[in-house]
Amino acid sequence: LEVVRMKLSGYNSAHVMAVELERSKRHHSLSKILEHVRGLPGQPRRDLPIHLSVEQQVECLIDHATDSNLLGRVWIGWSPYVQGGSYLNSLLSISLSLC
């Protein structure tokens, strides 16, 4: 329930994912995964605070959703190919309408 509360309260999604990963402690390279979840230098989510505005939440989620390194670690079958770009265009349209 704490994770749900954090998500609904506008916590940084990188922070929420890090909390969930730290609780699982099942992965042998947890520290490396946490580094990518929190963001590498130059990635927007790295410098965002724990409590975010709606605009910052959208920025952080898009940053996670478009990070090929993170997606490749999360799902071994992930591929960077997006047919026609329609999904990405829809995602960007939604995020822009929220701003």
Side-chain angles (χ1 to χ4, degrees):
L1 283 171
E2 181 184 349
V3 171
V4 172
R5 182 188 55 78
M6 290 183 345
K7 289 179 181 181
L8 294 175
S9 297
Y11 275 63
N12 183 328
S13 61
H15 176 75
V16 174
M17 282 197 280
V19 167
E20 290 179 299
L21 284 168
E22 288 169 344
R23 286 183 181 167
S24 71
K25 297 181 185 179
R26 293 185 186 152
H27 204 279
H28 64 279
S29 57
L30 180 62
S31 62
K32 192 71 170 168
I33 293 171
L34 285 171
E35 180 182 343
H36 287 279
V37 165
R38 290 182 176 126
L40 299 175
Q43 291 179 310
R45 67 181 177 268
R46 182 180 177 103
D47 299 322
L48 292 172
I50 290 178
H51 296 281
L52 306 177
S53 68
V54 172
E55 292 82 9
Q56 290 172 318
Q57 289 175 37
V58 170
E59 179 183 6
C60 190
L61 290 170
I62 289 174
D63 186 37
H64 274 131
T66 57
D67 184 344
S68 58
N69 192 355
L70 182 60
L71 291 169
R73 292 173 191 278
V74 175
W75 180 41
I76 198 164
W78 181 82
S79 174
Y81 175 76
V82 178
Q83 184 176 0
S86 59
Y87 174 75
L88 184 56
N89 289 336
S90 298
L91 182 63
L92 290 174
S93 296
I94 291 169
S95 67
L96 292 175
S97 68
L98 293 173
C99 294

